[in-house]
Amino acid sequence: MTDSPARAVPRPALVGIFGGLFAGYLGLTAVIPVLPAFLRDRHAAGDLVVGLVVTVTAGTALLVRPVAGALADRYGHRTVMLTGALVAALGGLLYFLPLAVPALVAVRLLLGAGEAALFTAGAVWTVALAPHHRRGQLIGLYGVSMWGGISAGTFLGATLQQVSFTAVWALAAAAPLLAAALIALVPVPHGEPGTAAQRKSGGGGGLLLRPALLPGTALALGAAGYAGLAAFVVLHLDARGIGSGVLVLSCFSAVYAGTRLVIGHLPDKLGPRRVAAWSAAGEAVGLTIVALAPNLPIAVAGGVVTGVGFSLLHPSLALMVMNRAEPTRQGAAIGAYTSFWDLGLAVWGPVTGLVAATLDYPAVFGVGAACAVAAAAMAAWIGRPAGGHGGTGSPGAAGSERTEARAA
């Protein structure tokens, strides 16, 4: 069964959404490499204050994502995504003010809310526009746009810091404004959420929304490996006398993006549960290789395997959420699901640090591998509820889900 022309991928719309996400994250992350030096230079801040100001956005993002998804279900994806971009632009402008540290914390909290609205509404909008047989693939490409914006933003922020802090603040404000312009140009199709009937039927969001709970938990478990790799692979390889841990991270990042570009259609084709289970298992194998690597080529191979597995885990689990949620609550469900990513990083960052301090660096990757195995088991166990929703799924994927549910 093929899509009709009316269900073909609306490329101009996807360019606006993906471009808006890229530009929004470019502005949001341009300040990340700059804030530590700014806080020390202008406020004589210590490490604790620096860490608080840089990471506090995760708190509001965790709380706001489900709410933003529910609002997108009720009032329209474009409205909420556009609001997120404008909030991010406002936060960028506030950096120009001579703010004390408490006020900077408030600005960062505001930016966390803007980021949550921007990402969550855009994710559900992408799924709503996509042909059914390409939803998982486009969720993956949406993530690539986000990571591309993060990479470009941190690079440009560090570069502009050599000019002045003011130049960085200008980028932090201008890029989200460009994002808002791109989002505003996307036409709203007939049937977009926000009609009176949909506003009446839309419910509130919450982190414990049932369709998101188990896939979100699996995502949080998978985040342990990423947290350990990002924080400790350089130190791990240095301690082994190998060095070049940055190369492992670079290969991981490149493969992470490349996998979604080349085989990002697999969750749609093979069924999201199957791909999620195999992806998490692949992440576990890759982390084990990194933990035991006796030389750089094997460590790089471990990073590559980890990147391939981790790349498809998120879109596969997200597609499971969409298949299990009511059509009128898919935004709230995907918002709750993505909040588990923030929760996972908030938990695993300190935990992996404690493991490294009390045991050793290989143990960090061992913990990540064990969590990935648990994520694989959970993904394989999650069934499609009898009489559940997900009628918007592709025939192939839905059939695969029904077969897997019967086998469970």
Side-chain angles (χ1 to χ4, degrees):
M1 179 176 178
T2 57
D3 287 306
S4 65
R7 292 297 299 143
V9 178
R11 296 184 187 279
L14 292 181
V15 167
I17 297 168
F18 287 11
L21 186 75
F22 176 91
Y25 270 92
L26 190 154
L28 285 164
T29 58
V31 303
I32 298 300
V34 175
L35 279 175
F38 175 78
L39 287 165
R40 290 192 172 97
D41 180 46
R42 303 294 173 87
H43 298 282
D47 291 338
L48 180 61
V49 171
V50 170
L52 173 66
V53 173
V54 171
T55 62
V56 73
T57 53
T60 44
L62 173 66
L63 298 175
V64 170
R65 287 190 203 277
V67 177
L71 292 174
D73 287 332
R74 299 184 67 181
Y75 299 110
H77 309 126
R78 185 174 72 172
T79 298
V80 176
M81 191 178 186
L82 181 60
T83 300
L86 292 175
V87 168
L90 173 62
L93 290 172
L94 290 175
Y95 284 124
F96 284 99
L97 301 179
L99 302 176
V101 169
L104 275 175
V105 171
V107 170
R108 296 290 293 162
L109 289 170
L110 178 68
L111 286 166
E115 183 270 334
L118 176 75
F119 178 87
T120 305
V124 186
W125 196 4
T126 298
V127 174
L129 291 173
H132 297 157
H133 70 288
R134 294 190 62 192
R135 293 189 308 161
Q137 180 183 25
L138 290 174
I139 290 172
L141 294 177
Y142 184 78
V144 170
S145 299
M146 179 192 74
W147 285 105
I150 291 172
S151 299
T154 52
F155 172 78
L156 290 175
T159 302
L160 287 176
Q161 182 181 358
Q162 308 305 316
V163 178
S164 66
F165 290 125
T166 300
V168 180
W169 309 154
L171 177 62
L177 286 176
L178 173 60
L182 291 169
I183 295 163
L185 291 175
V186 180
V188 177
H190 178 70
E192 161 78 0
T195 65
Q198 286 166 317
R199 284 195 292 269
K200 290 178 182 178
S201 65
L207 186 62
L208 300 183
L209 263 175
R210 185 173 180 180
L213 184 57
L214 293 180
T217 302
L219 179 68
L221 288 167
Y226 171 78
L229 190 75
F232 292 107
V233 69
V234 173
L235 296 174
H236 168 58
L237 295 184
D238 285 347
R240 292 203 157 199
I242 297 172
S244 301
V246 173
L247 178 60
V248 176
L249 281 176
S250 298
C251 290
F252 168 86
S253 300
V255 171
Y256 178 91
T259 297
R260 291 191 179 184
L261 293 172
V262 176
I263 57 173
H265 63 284
L266 288 184
D268 298 301
K269 183 178 181 180
L270 301 179
R273 187 171 74 157
R274 181 180 303 165
V275 175
W278 281 106
S279 296
E283 180 189 358
V285 170
L287 291 168
T288 302
I289 293 172
V290 172
L292 302 176
N295 53 51
L296 183 59
I298 292 180
V300 168
V304 167
V305 174
T306 304
V308 171
F310 190 66
S311 178
L312 295 184
L313 180 62
H314 164 68
S316 299
L317 292 170
L319 190 53
M320 293 171 70
V321 173
M322 302 300 287
N323 285 341
R324 294 162 62 85
E326 298 177 10
T328 58
R329 301 199 70 194
Q330 288 184 341
I334 204 68
Y337 164 74
T338 52
S339 291
F340 278 90
W341 171 254
D342 300 303
L343 181 63
L345 291 183
V347 169
W348 294 117
V351 168
T352 55
L354 181 63
V355 170
T358 57
L359 298 175
D360 52 23
Y361 296 133
V364 169
F365 303 102
V367 169
C371 289
V373 169
M378 180 168 287
W381 177 75
I382 298 170
R384 195 168 187 262
H389 300 277
T392 57
S394 66
S400 175
E401 289 288 302
R402 284 192 292 268
T403 300
E404 292 169 347
R406 285 195 298 269

PDB file of all heavy atoms in Angstrom, residues 35 39 82 118 141 221 263 290-291 325 348:
ATOM      1  N   LEU A  35      29.373  30.479  28.853  1.00  0.00           N
ATOM      2  CA  LEU A  35      28.893  30.830  30.192  1.00  0.00           C
ATOM      3  C   LEU A  35      29.916  30.609  31.310  1.00  0.00           C
ATOM      4  O   LEU A  35      30.024  31.453  32.210  1.00  0.00           O
ATOM      5  CB  LEU A  35      27.610  30.054  30.495  1.00  0.00           C
ATOM      6  CG  LEU A  35      26.324  30.622  29.901  1.00  0.00           C
ATOM      7  CD1 LEU A  35      25.145  29.688  30.177  1.00  0.00           C
ATOM      8  CD2 LEU A  35      26.029  32.013  30.457  1.00  0.00           C
ATOM      9  N   LEU A  39      30.796  33.735  33.691  1.00  0.00           N
ATOM     10  CA  LEU A  39      30.464  33.735  35.112  1.00  0.00           C
ATOM     11  C   LEU A  39      31.700  33.968  35.972  1.00  0.00           C
ATOM     12  O   LEU A  39      31.644  34.669  36.995  1.00  0.00           O
ATOM     13  CB  LEU A  39      29.799  32.411  35.480  1.00  0.00           C
ATOM     14  CG  LEU A  39      28.365  32.242  34.965  1.00  0.00           C
ATOM     15  CD1 LEU A  39      27.927  30.789  35.060  1.00  0.00           C
ATOM     16  CD2 LEU A  39      27.406  33.133  35.742  1.00  0.00           C
ATOM     17  N   LEU A  82       6.287  27.797  17.677  1.00  0.00           N
ATOM     18  CA  LEU A  82       6.619  29.204  17.460  1.00  0.00           C
ATOM     19  C   LEU A  82       6.807  29.926  18.793  1.00  0.00           C
ATOM     20  O   LEU A  82       7.741  30.722  18.960  1.00  0.00           O
ATOM     21  CB  LEU A  82       5.518  29.875  16.642  1.00  0.00           C
ATOM     22  CG  LEU A  82       5.699  31.353  16.285  1.00  0.00           C
ATOM     23  CD1 LEU A  82       6.958  31.552  15.454  1.00  0.00           C
ATOM     24  CD2 LEU A  82       4.476  31.865  15.530  1.00  0.00           C
ATOM     25  N   LEU A 118       9.723  24.199  21.956  1.00  0.00           N
ATOM     26  CA  LEU A 118      10.231  24.141  20.591  1.00  0.00           C
ATOM     27  C   LEU A 118      10.388  22.695  20.121  1.00  0.00           C
ATOM     28  O   LEU A 118       9.884  22.303  19.059  1.00  0.00           O
ATOM     29  CB  LEU A 118      11.584  24.862  20.519  1.00  0.00           C
ATOM     30  CG  LEU A 118      12.325  24.828  19.178  1.00  0.00           C
ATOM     31  CD1 LEU A 118      11.658  25.769  18.186  1.00  0.00           C
ATOM     32  CD2 LEU A 118      13.791  25.199  19.362  1.00  0.00           C
ATOM     33  N   LEU A 141      15.345  11.818  11.735  1.00  0.00           N
ATOM     34  CA  LEU A 141      15.934  12.966  11.044  1.00  0.00           C
ATOM     35  C   LEU A 141      15.683  14.261  11.813  1.00  0.00           C
ATOM     36  O   LEU A 141      16.507  15.180  11.785  1.00  0.00           O
ATOM     37  CB  LEU A 141      15.358  13.071   9.627  1.00  0.00           C
ATOM     38  CG  LEU A 141      15.731  11.924   8.683  1.00  0.00           C
ATOM     39  CD1 LEU A 141      15.054  12.103   7.331  1.00  0.00           C
ATOM     40  CD2 LEU A 141      17.249  11.829   8.506  1.00  0.00           C
ATOM     41  N   LEU A 221      17.068   4.397  30.658  1.00  0.00           N
ATOM     42  CA  LEU A 221      18.102   3.391  30.862  1.00  0.00           C
ATOM     43  C   LEU A 221      19.176   3.488  29.774  1.00  0.00           C
ATOM     44  O   LEU A 221      20.380   3.398  30.059  1.00  0.00           O
ATOM     45  CB  LEU A 221      17.485   1.998  30.872  1.00  0.00           C
ATOM     46  CG  LEU A 221      16.663   1.627  32.111  1.00  0.00           C
ATOM     47  CD1 LEU A 221      15.860   0.361  31.861  1.00  0.00           C
ATOM     48  CD2 LEU A 221      17.564   1.458  33.329  1.00  0.00           C
ATOM     49  N   ILE A 263      19.880   4.262   7.529  1.00  0.00           N
ATOM     50  CA  ILE A 263      18.945   3.174   7.849  1.00  0.00           C
ATOM     51  C   ILE A 263      17.886   3.638   8.844  1.00  0.00           C
ATOM     52  O   ILE A 263      17.338   2.831   9.611  1.00  0.00           O
ATOM     53  CB  ILE A 263      19.684   1.928   8.385  1.00  0.00           C
ATOM     54  CG1 ILE A 263      20.528   2.268   9.628  1.00  0.00           C
ATOM     55  CG2 ILE A 263      20.540   1.315   7.314  1.00  0.00           C
ATOM     56  CD1 ILE A 263      21.144   1.043  10.294  1.00  0.00           C
ATOM     57  N   VAL A 290      34.263  -0.724  24.410  1.00  0.00           N
ATOM     58  CA  VAL A 290      35.007   0.444  24.888  1.00  0.00           C
ATOM     59  C   VAL A 290      35.635   0.148  26.252  1.00  0.00           C
ATOM     60  O   VAL A 290      36.801   0.487  26.508  1.00  0.00           O
ATOM     61  CB  VAL A 290      34.080   1.677  24.978  1.00  0.00           C
ATOM     62  CG1 VAL A 290      34.799   2.839  25.656  1.00  0.00           C
ATOM     63  CG2 VAL A 290      33.616   2.093  23.579  1.00  0.00           C
ATOM     64  N   ALA A 291      34.886  -0.497  27.132  1.00  0.00           N
ATOM     65  CA  ALA A 291      35.394  -0.788  28.476  1.00  0.00           C
ATOM     66  C   ALA A 291      36.631  -1.670  28.437  1.00  0.00           C
ATOM     67  O   ALA A 291      37.555  -1.494  29.240  1.00  0.00           O
ATOM     68  CB  ALA A 291      34.304  -1.454  29.305  1.00  0.00           C
ATOM     69  N   ALA A 325      -0.575   5.768  21.868  1.00  0.00           N
ATOM     70  CA  ALA A 325      -1.301   6.920  22.404  1.00  0.00           C
ATOM     71  C   ALA A 325      -2.534   7.234  21.559  1.00  0.00           C
ATOM     72  O   ALA A 325      -2.567   6.989  20.355  1.00  0.00           O
ATOM     73  CB  ALA A 325      -0.385   8.140  22.440  1.00  0.00           C
ATOM     74  N   TRP A 348      21.852   9.799  35.676  1.00  0.00           N
ATOM     75  CA  TRP A 348      23.066   9.051  35.347  1.00  0.00           C
ATOM     76  C   TRP A 348      24.327   9.906  35.389  1.00  0.00           C
ATOM     77  O   TRP A 348      25.419   9.365  35.579  1.00  0.00           O
ATOM     78  CB  TRP A 348      22.924   8.388  33.984  1.00  0.00           C
ATOM     79  CG  TRP A 348      21.874   7.329  33.981  1.00  0.00           C
ATOM     80  CD1 TRP A 348      20.725   7.306  33.257  1.00  0.00           C
ATOM     81  CD2 TRP A 348      21.861   6.128  34.769  1.00  0.00           C
ATOM     82  NE1 TRP A 348      19.990   6.180  33.537  1.00  0.00           N
ATOM     83  CE2 TRP A 348      20.671   5.444  34.460  1.00  0.00           C
ATOM     84  CE3 TRP A 348      22.736   5.578  35.713  1.00  0.00           C
ATOM     85  CZ2 TRP A 348      20.335   4.233  35.049  1.00  0.00           C
ATOM     86  CZ3 TRP A 348      22.405   4.375  36.301  1.00  0.00           C
ATOM     87  CH2 TRP A 348      21.223   3.705  35.980  1.00  0.00           C
TER      88      TRP A 348
END
